[in-house]
Amino acid sequence: MMQEYDHEFAEFIYYTPGYLDKEAQLWPVRGGRSIAKANYKVGPKRIECYSLHLVLEGRVCLEFGDKRVELSKNDLFCLYPGRTYDYYALASDAPLQMNWLAVDGTRVKGLLGLAGITPDRPYGKQMLTSPVKEAAAKTLDKMAGTERWHPAVSLALQGMVCELMALLIPDTEPVHSSEPSRWIRACMDFMDLHATEGITVQQVAAFAGVHRSYFSNVFAAQVGVSPQKYLQNIRMEKAKRLLTETDASVTEIALSLGYPNLYTFTRAFKIYYNMPPLAMRTGAKG
C-alpha cells in the first residue's frame, strides 16, 4: 500500500537474500511503486546494487556523469552501483509513475548488457512491453507477499527476475548482427556442445540465423577451417580419446559420436588418422 512522503506517494518492498540467492549470483534486494508529486527529485545519490526504474506514466530526467536524458512512458533506466545519479520529474499531462526493482549479484551486469543497458547508456527507450510490465509487477507482488526467507520463495524469485531480464533482451536481430566474431564464437560453442549428436552444418547455420553458404564462408575465413572440418575435428579428437582411454567398443564409439553406423565411422577415422580405429587402440596399449 502506498504512503505519502514529501515528494511522492510510494510503496517500499524489501527482500533479504539467502544462500540459494547467493549461489545463483542473482537476487532482488528491494523494490517499489511510486507516483511523483510535482517537486519530485532524487539525488545526487549512489547505491550498491543495480536499480531498474520502469516509467509507467509521465516524464523524468536522468542525469549521470556529464550527461542527461529525458525519458517518458514505457522507457526505463538503471542505476549502477558506485555511480552518482540525479533524476527528477518533468512537466507532463500525467504525473510521473514508476515501478522499480533493485537487484544484485555478479550476473546482473552481463544480463543488462545483453538488453543493451550499460553504465555508459543506462537507459532504454520504449522497452516496456506489456509482458515486461507484467513480469516486473509479478516480481514485486511476490516480494511484497514474502514474510520470511524460504528456499521455494528464493527459487521462485530467481525465476521471475530471470524472466524479466529475458523479456528485456531483444530477439528481433540475428546473433551475428553487431559483431561477427562473437556470433562465430557462439557457433563454435554450439558445435563443441552438440557435435557428437550428429548435427550438420545446415543446423549450425540455422542456429546463427544465416544462409549456409554465408555461414561457411565467414566461418572458414575466421577460424581457418570449414565448419564441416571443425565438426570432424571435434568428433575425431573424442574418438581418439575414447579409443585410448576407455574400453568402449568401436561400434559403441561410432554411435556415441553421432555416426549412423560402424562403417561410416571407420572410413572417416581411417581417412583422418591414416589407420583404422583398432590399430590406434593397439598402438596406445603397446
Side-chain angles (χ1 to χ4, degrees):
M1 181 179 298
M2 289 192 182
Q3 298 183 22
E4 184 173 2
Y5 298 90
D6 289 342
H7 61 280
E8 65 181 336
F9 296 90
E11 174 188 12
F12 294 91
I13 305 167
Y14 301 96
Y15 176 75
T16 302
Y19 72 93
L20 281 179
D21 304 278
K22 299 297 181 67
E23 288 177 356
Q25 303 174 51
L26 176 69
W27 61 87
V29 176
R30 55 185 175 269
R33 302 174 174 93
S34 68
I35 299 175
K37 296 181 179 180
N39 63 336
Y40 181 84
K41 183 182 187 305
V42 177
K45 68 177 294 186
R46 294 189 180 198
I47 61 173
E48 297 180 349
C49 53
Y50 302 82
S51 188
L52 278 169
H53 288 64
L54 285 60
V55 184
L56 305 179
E57 294 288 349
R59 299 171 62 239
V60 62
C61 182
L62 172 68
E63 296 182 352
F64 55 102
D66 58 353
K67 302 176 182 177
R68 67 188 299 274
V69 60
E70 294 184 3
L71 303 170
S72 57
K73 181 177 180 179
N74 292 332
D75 296 339
L76 66 80
F77 63 93
C78 180
L79 311 182
Y80 277 75
R83 292 176 175 247
T84 301
Y85 298 90
D86 294 81
Y87 52 98
Y88 48 90
L90 296 172
S92 174
D93 293 337
L96 175 63
Q97 181 176 339
M98 295 190 293
N99 284 357
W100 53 279
L101 177 67
V103 292
D104 206 356
T106 57
R107 296 173 60 196
V108 180
K109 186 176 181 180
L111 293 174
L112 289 172
L114 291 174
I117 307 298
T118 67
D120 293 331
R121 192 180 186 278
Y123 61 90
K125 298 276 192 175
Q126 297 301 295
M127 295 184 70
L128 301 190
T129 61
S130 293
V132 168
K133 288 186 278 191
E134 290 171 6
K138 183 172 66 173
T139 305
L140 293 173
D141 288 342
K142 185 68 174 179
M143 291 169 61
T146 299
E147 295 183 359
R148 61 182 62 87
W149 188 89
H150 187 276
V153 172
S154 171
L155 293 174
L157 282 172
Q158 287 172 30
M160 291 176 183
V161 173
C162 285
E163 178 186 8
L164 174 60
M165 293 292 188
L167 290 169
L168 291 175
I169 297 172
D171 59 1
T172 56
E173 295 182 356
V175 66
H176 67 283
S177 60
S178 60
E179 187 177 348
S181 61
R182 291 179 60 185
W183 73 270
I184 287 294
R185 169 49 62 186
C187 290
M188 293 170 70
D189 292 342
F190 178 79
M191 296 160 83
D192 291 342
L193 184 62
H194 299 293
T196 58
E197 298 165 24
I199 61 170
T200 64
V201 175
Q202 177 60 48
Q203 287 174 298
V204 184
F207 164 78
V210 298
H211 192 276
R212 173 176 172 161
S213 60
Y214 174 78
F215 165 68
S216 296
N217 290 337
V218 176
F219 188 96
Q222 294 195 15
V223 181
V225 296
S226 69
Q228 186 63 50
K229 183 68 173 177
Y230 187 82
L231 284 170
Q232 183 187 40
N233 290 346
I234 296 172
R235 291 170 181 149
M236 288 296 108
E237 285 298 318
K238 292 187 177 183
K240 178 180 179 180
R241 190 162 59 251
L242 289 170
L243 283 165
T244 58
E245 298 177 7
T246 76
D247 60 357
S249 69
V250 178
T251 299
E252 182 181 354
I253 292 172
L255 298 179
S256 298
L257 295 177
Y259 289 90
N261 52 56
L262 176 63
Y263 172 77
T264 304
F265 166 69
T266 301
R267 183 172 181 272
F269 191 95
K270 289 176 67 175
I271 293 173
Y272 192 88
Y273 285 112
N274 292 318
M275 66 174 70
L278 287 178
M280 177 169 285
R281 171 168 280 176
T282 302
K285 292 180 177 179

